C-alpha cells in the first residue's frame, strides 16, 4: 500500500503535465495565428522604428 501511495502523486503530475503540453500544442496555429503573427510583426516594426529614430537623433 505504501508503494501505491508513493507513486500516485508523480503519476497524477505526469498526466497533468502531458495534458498541459497537449493543450499548448493544439492551440498553436489555427484561425488566430495570422492575427497573432501580424500583432508581433507590428510590435517588432515599432521597436525597430524607434531604435532607428533614436540612432538618427544621436548622430
Amino acid at each position: 500500500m505504501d508503494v501505491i501511495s508513493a507513486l500516485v502523486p508523480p503519476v497524477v503530475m505526469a498526466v497533468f503535465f502531458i495534458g498541459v503540453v497537449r493543450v499548448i500544442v493544439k492551440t498553436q496555429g489555427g484561425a488566430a495565428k495570422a492575427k497573432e503573427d501580424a500583432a508581433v510583426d507590428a510590435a517588432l516594426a515599432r521597436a525597430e522604428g524607434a531604435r532607428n529614430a533614436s540612432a538618427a537623433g544621436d548622430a
Side-chain angles (χ1 to χ4, degrees):
M1 199 65 180
D2 289 337
V3 173
I4 293 173
S5 64
L7 290 177
V8 168
V11 170
V12 170
M13 290 300 294
V15 169
F16 178 74
F17 181 73
I18 290 169
V20 169
V21 170
R22 288 187 68 201
V23 167
I24 290 171
V25 169
K26 282 187 174 186
T27 58
Q28 298 299 311
K33 184 174 184 347
K35 184 178 176 183
E36 293 169 359
D37 288 346
V40 170
D41 289 341
L44 289 174
R46 281 195 306 268
E48 185 67 28
R51 186 182 332 153
N52 289 341
S54 174
D58 292 341

